Amino acid sequence: MKYRDHFDRQVHVEDLYIPTRDGTRLHARVWRPADAATAPVPALLEYLPYRKSDWTAPRDAQRHPWYAGHGYASVRVDLRGSGDSEGVMLDEYTETELADGVDVVNWLAAQPWCSGRVGMFGISWGGFNALQIAALRPEPLKAIVTVCSTDDRYDNDVHYTGGAVLGIDMLAWAGTMLAFTARPPDPAHVGADRWLPMWRERLDAIEPYLHTWLAHQERDDYWRHGSVCEDYSALDAAVLAVGGWADPYRDTVLRLAEHLDPGKVRGLIGPWSHQYPDRGLPPGPAIGFLQETLRWWDHWLKDEETGVMAEPLLRSWLNDPVPPATSYETMPGRWVGDDNWPSPSVTWDARPLGDGGAAPVVVRSPQHTGLDAGRFFPFGNPADLPPDQREEDGRSVCFDSAPLTGRVEILGRPRVRLRLDSATPRAHVIARVCDVAPDGSSTLVTRGVLNLMARHGRERADAWVPGTYEDVELELTATGYAFPPGHRVRVAVSDAYWPWVWPHGERGRLTVLPGESAVLLPVRDPAYDTGRDPIRFEEPEQAPPLPVTVDPPAGPRAAERVVRHDVATGEWTLEVDPNYGGSRTYPDGLRYEESARETYRIRGDDPLSAVAESRWTIRLRRPDGWDAEITTRTELRATATEFVMESGLEARANGETVAKRGWHRTTPRTSG
């Protein structure tokens, strides 16, 4: 990593408030060239609820000053009701959030230090709302960079997948946001007389987001809002879409490359986790992402010829085969480029799961199938990725190819077609594609989920008629991977995948006809690369790091991911530390302490035994005596007919309770 602290233009930093149409003010930090008042520059906006003054401050310091030193006003804004901004925050991507974002874009464009052109960038939430605000077409917004984001809030986010309730992140993210939304403004920024009334306003308005998310179990207008896949033509700004093979949102890059104007879109998928590609977190290799985005901004916001639009429409990293592991410092592989998507370099290879005379196969997986799924959101931590899949394969029905006679490279979204019958009206089917080495080790390549209730459309809930065979198709998450000679391609099918997928209320079984089922692999022809220029990136470069002290745990650090089995009761327990960064002390003296634990429990024979729980403690304090603490608990369980949600929150200031809230809610199981 190269740190650059000297730039062509001196950088000025300013904190200020930006007004919105209803008078609520959003707190912003602006890094801009010191001479921008006389030589105006384009503005770049990153717009998040994650607190620029502490939680994202180390990441912000890497990129915003760097952009400013290269001739941009780089602006970090806290969403309404978060960080040091006024107002309250009631959900993700609300109409108010997006309207505020439009107001911020227009305000930036009108400043004397701005040239009138604006770009937006962000990862995850900031990538989501960059797409959504671009779809509203504020005139100054000319280009965006969206990283690890989604165009489909229902079927490619943390709530549902394949029409199934995402047990792991539906609960975990709801618990996280309950704690995050409850964090107070900082008196050092909003004033000693204002922070407590502002905090009380937030605490009074809090309602766990889980209640809303589980009230919408099919794709309805709630999820269509903010899903730019509903109308790709609304996106007029230029879009650089970025993802990673270890990130759950990577399919969005392919969809945007396919559906947007090829003269205004470029896609980039690397081996990365849910992180900016310059940060150097596993899996690498990292790239000079800031330099690459600077080419994008200079082209679209300064009319400079940088060659960025001469790059292939889609640049993808193809992973070479690796033994299974929960983390890889660097993935072996290579970059490939495709000028169209779908690409003529990719053809479909249909491989039947059995011959015409193959007997029907019964799939009836134990409920704890899925404990080796790995983390839904890999962050570059040691226990992120799925371990050896042999135990999962043993809990599934597996269909193996013959040993491959040559290298097979795939790029895109594999599909699995199954002709099956379900013994119950409600059921899930999960398919995994694995690379099986000669020693028997099994590396997960990709996977997909289908709630059979959603087989005719995500907006519907259609019960299965037991005793009836139907053809169903699962589109698996996108991948770029090379199977080597001598290895086998395995398709593993299960009807359970806990805790990723919340189980239906009754245990059933699936009957699959292998001879009428198949896996379809998007095989890429390496000859397509012949004569093409190699794809290269510069080495990572950033502004100097923020001098934050990360404190070691007081005692032995709890394991990041632990599986326990009570052999007497048959209960399996998965305990997870999301490990977002722990406790740290900032240069201004702020100490931020954070701990969280997620717990998932189920018995192998009982889908109604599933329980998921999230606990958080966050404490902020300063040497002057200011001390604020939040503890939260969120629990989800279900009966055969309804989901049951229990949540609790306590907030304290200098040891005195400011708010204590509790919630008990139920909602019918419509398709979940």
Side-chain angles (χ1 to χ4, degrees):
M1 177 68 68
K2 178 182 177 182
Y3 297 115
R4 185 171 177 182
D5 56 1
H6 296 289
F7 301 100
D8 293 338
R9 300 178 75 166
Q10 183 180 352
V11 176
H12 170 78
V13 186
E14 179 184 11
D15 283 5
L16 49 81
Y17 278 104
I18 297 176
T20 63
R21 64 193 69 183
D22 68 358
T24 301
R25 301 183 306 160
L26 307 184
H27 203 259
R29 182 161 295 157
V30 181
W31 294 260
R32 57 181 170 86
D35 61 349
T38 56
V41 296
L44 303 177
L45 169 62
E46 188 177 23
Y47 179 52
L48 291 169
Y50 298 141
R51 302 175 63 91
K52 65 185 176 339
S53 297
D54 43 66
W55 211 70
T56 67
R59 190 179 79 190
D60 297 344
Q62 295 170 340
R63 56 208 65 251
H64 289 281
W66 193 94
Y67 283 137
H70 286 83
Y72 288 85
S74 199
V75 184
R76 172 70 175 82
V77 175
D78 286 338
L79 263 60
R80 177 187 296 244
S82 71
D84 299 315
S85 290
E86 298 174 348
V88 298
M89 183 175 157
L90 302 176
D91 199 355
E92 306 170 312
Y93 322 118
T94 62
E95 290 185 3
T96 298
E97 175 185 332
L98 302 186
D100 286 350
V102 170
D103 291 346
V104 171
V105 167
N106 289 328
W107 185 91
L108 292 174
Q111 299 313 296
W113 39 258
C114 182
S115 67
R117 292 186 178 184
V118 179
M120 283 189 74
F121 71 92
I123 181 170
S124 198
W125 195 306
F128 280 45
N129 63 28
L131 275 171
Q132 294 168 24
I133 291 168
L136 297 176
R137 295 191 174 191
E139 194 281 330
L141 185 61
K142 306 301 183 183
I144 69 170
V145 175
T146 180
V147 183
C148 298
S149 72
T150 190
D151 59 340
D152 186 344
R153 291 188 55 224
Y154 178 73
D155 218 28
N156 194 191
D157 198 0
V158 298
H159 317 96
Y160 297 88
T161 182
V165 173
L166 261 172
I168 193 163
D169 256 54
M170 173 72 82
L171 180 281
W173 192 239
T176 299
M177 286 311 299
L178 179 61
F180 280 14
T181 307
R183 292 179 295 188
D186 191 331
H189 301 110
V190 304
D193 59 337
R194 295 188 65 227
W195 79 272
L196 188 55
M198 288 175 67
W199 194 22
R200 290 186 187 278
E201 181 185 19
R202 293 181 188 181
L203 295 170
D204 288 344
I206 280 181
E207 177 82 12
Y209 299 171
L210 183 63
H211 302 165
T212 300
W213 298 341
L214 275 175
H216 299 272
Q217 292 166 40
E218 294 81 42
R219 184 184 182 87
D220 58 13
D221 286 343
Y222 174 80
W223 299 112
R224 293 186 186 101
H225 165 76
S227 293
V228 300
C229 64
E230 293 291 321
D231 181 10
Y232 288 112
S233 68
L235 286 167
D236 186 54
V239 177
L240 175 59
V242 183
W245 295 133
D247 181 76
Y249 295 144
R250 55 197 187 259
D251 297 344
T252 289
V253 178
L254 299 184
R255 288 193 293 265
L256 292 174
E258 177 179 358
H259 292 288
L260 299 187
D261 177 352
K264 285 192 168 184
V265 66
R266 288 295 181 270
L268 175 63
I269 309 181
W272 312 300
S273 62
H274 195 70
Q275 295 285 358
Y276 279 123
D278 57 304
R279 301 197 71 197
L281 295 166
I287 65 169
F289 185 63
L290 290 176
Q291 300 97 302
E292 190 64 19
T293 58
L294 185 65
R295 296 173 68 206
W296 186 256
W297 303 129
D298 285 351
H299 178 90
W300 290 105
L301 302 182
K302 293 184 177 179
D303 297 325
E304 295 181 6
E305 184 50 60
T306 65
V308 71
M309 294 308 292
E311 300 288 356
L313 178 75
L314 178 67
R315 287 172 287 175
S316 309
W317 178 266
L318 279 186
N319 285 324
D320 279 340
V322 288
T326 59
S327 180
Y328 304 93
E329 194 65 30
T330 300
M331 291 291 293
R334 76 180 197 282
W335 288 103
V336 298
D338 289 276
D339 296 322
N340 306 94
W341 194 261
S343 172
S345 72
V346 176
T347 56
W348 288 101
D349 179 6
R351 297 170 177 250
L353 301 187
D355 58 38
V361 174
V362 174
V363 179
R364 193 170 190 261
S365 303
Q367 295 299 305
H368 61 283
T369 305
L371 288 177
D372 285 339
R375 183 172 182 165
F376 186 74
F377 272 117
F379 269 80
N381 291 332
D384 275 356
L385 304 180
D388 195 320
Q389 295 290 284
R390 276 181 279 197
E391 289 190 35
E392 296 282 57
D393 294 349
R395 296 187 277 258
S396 308
V397 172
C398 295
F399 305 93
D400 290 2
S401 73
L404 299 174
T405 58
R407 179 180 170 101
V408 176
E409 297 182 351
I410 62 174
L411 177 63
R413 299 192 67 182
R415 305 199 298 268
V416 172
R417 291 176 181 164
L418 300 171
R419 184 158 182 81
L420 60 80
D421 178 29
S422 172
T424 51
R426 296 170 178 248
H428 296 117
V429 60
I430 299 92
R432 292 176 293 114
V433 171
C434 298
D435 174 5
V436 181
D439 66 1
S441 60
S442 179
T443 301
L444 182 68
V445 176
T446 184
R447 59 196 147 194
V449 174
L450 178 63
N451 179 357
L452 294 182
M453 297 278 286
R455 68 194 182 280
H456 298 313
R458 302 297 191 259
E459 72 285 353
R460 299 171 54 177
D462 295 318
W464 194 279
V465 179
T468 304
Y469 280 94
E470 290 188 32
D471 294 311
V472 300
E473 182 171 289
L474 292 77
E475 194 169 24
L476 313 189
T477 50
T479 188
Y481 189 84
F483 293 91
H487 286 218
R488 298 174 185 265
V489 178
R490 171 171 291 167
V491 177
V493 180
S494 64
D495 63 344
Y497 206 55
W498 172 260
W500 277 48
V501 175
W502 197 278
H504 285 298
E506 55 184 329
R507 191 175 185 202
R509 67 181 183 278
L510 305 175
T511 304
V512 175
L513 303 182
E516 300 180 51
S517 303
V519 58
L520 290 83
L521 298 178
V523 174
R524 189 179 188 278
D525 183 359
Y528 187 79
D529 302 322
T530 302
R532 297 173 66 89
D533 292 335
I535 294 171
R536 295 190 176 96
F537 297 94
E538 295 183 49
E539 292 301 308
E541 181 177 297
Q542 297 172 351
L546 189 71
V548 174
T549 302
V550 178
D551 303 322
R557 186 175 182 89
E560 211 172 271
R561 192 175 187 91
V562 177
V563 176
R564 295 187 175 89
H565 181 212
D566 185 329
V567 296
T569 65
E571 183 175 77
W572 294 79
T573 302
L574 171 64
E575 292 186 356
V576 178
D577 177 357
N579 192 9
Y580 287 123
S583 299
R584 51 266 198 198
T585 303
Y586 292 86
D588 65 355
L590 175 70
R591 179 168 171 78
Y592 184 104
E593 300 172 2
E594 177 181 278
S595 64
R597 200 71 176 168
E598 300 163 15
T599 305
Y600 305 92
R601 301 192 304 274
I602 201 165
R603 292 200 304 274
D605 61 350
D606 183 6
L608 293 180
S609 65
V611 180
E613 183 184 55
S614 167
R615 290 181 178 270
W616 274 84
T617 299
I618 297 174
R619 186 180 183 190
L620 298 94
R621 48 191 172 127
R622 290 188 173 278
D624 62 8
W626 178 67
D627 192 337
E629 186 175 19
I630 306 109
T631 58
T632 65
R633 179 187 62 83
T634 307
E635 182 183 277
L636 177 63
R637 49 192 171 85
T639 68
T641 58
E642 62 185 11
F643 286 105
V644 182
M645 298 160 275
E646 302 277 356
S647 303
L649 160 71
E650 185 170 2
R652 293 176 291 276
N654 298 92
E656 299 291 329
T657 298
V658 175
K660 191 169 185 178
R661 305 279 305 278
W663 297 267
H664 171 86
R665 298 286 189 278
T666 62
T667 194
R669 302 182 71 163
T670 54
S671 62

